[in-house]
Amino acid sequence: MHTFEKLSTLFAERFNQRHFPETPTNLYDAGEYFLNLQAKRIRPVLCLMGNELFGDIRPDVYHVASAIELFHNFTLIHDDIMDKAPLRRGQQTVHERFGSSTALLAGDVMLVAAYDHLNKIDPHFKFAVLDLFNKTAREVCEGQQLDMDFEKQPIVQMDAYIRMITLKTSVLLASSLQLGAILGGAGLGNQEHIYEFGKCLGIAFQVQDDYLDAFGDPTKFGKQVGGDILSDKKTFLLIKALEAAKGKDKEALEKLLKENSPRKVEEMVSIFRSLQVDKWAFGLKKQYMGEALRHLEEIAVLSSRKKPLEELAEFLVQRDY
């Protein structure tokens, strides 16, 4: 069994190459620019880990992992345009550097490149892989739309937000693992458990991401800290704060959501701390982490084979960037 770090290296050896033609220069340089930004590449490596949990790594898994990484980057380029985000991974976003129109096209050709990789896998696996990949792609788009819809709604219920996060973030983590498991020859029962492990881990991952947006170190986080607050985005923290706030805290929250105070981030974070939303988020993260590990335990393989996934799960929900 390989560690996450070793599998990251193996994936990078195959993925770190030019993915697009030389011309049109503006279009393809934008795509290469984004792919060359420092990235954690969690999802493609999860695909490799899902394969290796059940057997030796198949060559085809590198094509599926590459497709996952290209699809993920396609969504990030488009998300950054929609969010008007200035930074991604500590660098200029594609639309800031190359313009929104080129960024849209760069994302589009990235998605086409993903399907080029899927077209190269063994036909025996192709139907199952494409079925899950396409289902996941639709769900990620649905999650993004819900996220944008929530920005226009004054109140979002916690269960609705969790459903949105499940679609926007968790299903891609879950599917990355299951796609690898399909190539590893896993049975349907084991596939379901590894998917649920990834889904619960994805929610815990998002709780940590929401937490870092408000409380993270900007030199480590790689994105604009407080970006969600500035855009009035509904997050675990804000939804819980709106549920818990009373009196002056409630008035202050509502005022901050209506106005663009120059100290908006600082004041919102202060209210979060006052309401102990940061501590609540820690408990919620722990709850979903526990559910994830219970599903991992149910997978019918030797416990020693699960160790790399356990270690990665712990890292993802404790990371500070």
Side-chain angles (χ1 to χ4, degrees):
M1 300 298 293
H2 294 95
T3 63
F4 177 86
E5 290 74 17
K6 178 60 178 176
L7 289 174
S8 294
T9 299
L10 291 174
F11 177 71
E13 287 171 356
R14 290 161 176 80
F15 191 80
N16 289 352
Q17 57 180 317
R18 187 168 180 93
H19 291 265
F20 305 109
E22 296 292 337
T23 58
T25 304
N26 287 342
L27 171 61
Y28 292 129
D29 281 358
E32 295 293 344
Y33 164 77
F34 197 69
L35 291 176
N36 287 327
L37 295 181
Q38 188 174 5
K40 295 183 280 289
R41 292 183 178 161
I42 293 164
R43 292 152 192 83
V45 179
L46 282 176
C47 184
L48 271 62
M49 295 177 88
N51 182 165
E52 195 175 40
L53 183 63
F54 298 99
D56 293 338
I57 293 178
R58 295 177 56 90
D60 280 349
V61 79
Y62 289 103
H63 284 304
V64 178
S66 294
I68 290 167
E69 181 65 2
L70 288 163
F71 170 76
H72 177 56
N73 280 274
F74 147 73
T75 67
L76 295 182
I77 290 174
H78 285 205
D79 287 1
D80 285 343
I81 296 169
M82 290 179 246
D83 293 342
K84 299 180 176 63
L87 296 176
R88 169 69 67 176
R89 300 167 185 160
Q91 302 293 323
Q92 270 189 308
T93 46
V94 177
H95 67 274
E96 286 283 331
R97 181 159 177 166
F98 295 90
S100 295
S101 296
T102 295
L104 284 169
L105 290 172
D108 292 344
V109 295
M110 215 167 273
L111 180 60
V112 173
Y115 281 98
D116 283 341
H117 278 283
L118 294 178
N119 202 40
K120 295 174 183 175
I121 68 173
D122 187 331
H124 175 74
F125 297 105
K126 194 175 289 187
F127 177 81
V129 166
L130 279 170
D131 188 55
L132 179 56
F133 190 91
N134 288 340
K135 171 179 173 287
T136 304
R138 285 192 298 271
E139 289 175 335
V140 171
C141 292
E142 291 166 6
Q144 175 65 9
Q145 183 62 54
L146 289 173
D147 193 19
M148 293 188 298
D149 290 346
F150 288 170
E151 291 180 21
K152 302 170 187 174
Q153 298 176 18
I155 300 295
V156 173
Q157 300 300 321
M158 187 64 73
D159 59 348
Y161 182 73
I162 290 173
R163 171 165 169 69
M164 181 275 289
I165 287 304
T166 299
L167 291 170
K168 183 177 176 180
T169 299
S170 295
V171 296
L172 187 54
L173 291 172
S175 296
S176 297
L177 285 161
Q178 187 179 351
L179 287 166
I182 290 170
L183 293 175
L188 291 177
N190 281 338
Q191 286 184 41
E192 289 173 6
H193 280 303
I194 200 167
Y195 184 91
E196 290 299 318
F197 164 74
K199 189 170 78 172
C200 293
L201 178 61
I203 297 173
F205 178 91
Q206 187 62 47
V207 174
Q208 182 69 357
D209 214 47
D210 285 1
Y211 174 88
L212 290 173
D213 182 83
F215 300 102
D217 180 345
T219 64
K220 296 179 180 179
F221 191 39
K223 291 190 285 186
Q224 180 183 20
V225 172
D228 289 345
I229 293 172
L230 291 171
S231 62
D232 295 329
K233 183 171 283 190
K234 306 301 185 295
T235 65
F236 279 110
L237 302 179
L238 179 58
I239 292 169
K240 183 60 178 177
L242 288 168
E243 287 180 359
K246 293 179 175 61
K248 291 182 178 180
D249 282 336
K250 188 174 182 64
E251 289 176 13
L253 264 179
E254 291 174 348
K255 183 179 179 182
L256 283 170
L257 291 171
K258 290 176 183 176
E259 301 175 2
N260 285 321
S261 165
R263 299 180 65 247
K264 185 171 185 173
V265 173
E266 182 183 341
E267 291 173 6
M268 188 72 81
V269 169
S270 177
I271 293 173
F272 286 166
R273 291 192 190 279
S274 172
L275 295 171
Q276 297 190 326
V277 172
D278 50 340
K279 294 179 181 178
W280 167 85
F282 178 83
L284 186 67
K285 180 178 69 172
K286 186 176 180 181
Q287 172 192 327
Y288 278 102
M289 181 66 168
E291 290 183 30
L293 293 176
R294 280 192 291 275
H295 280 288
L296 186 62
E297 180 64 27
E298 290 296 321
I299 295 172
V301 299
L302 291 173
S303 296
S304 59
R305 299 188 73 87
K306 303 174 187 177
K307 201 69 180 172
L309 281 171
E310 291 174 1
E311 292 171 352
L312 177 62
E314 293 286 349
F315 165 74
L316 289 180
V317 299
Q318 294 175 11
R319 73 194 196 287
D320 58 3
Y321 62 92

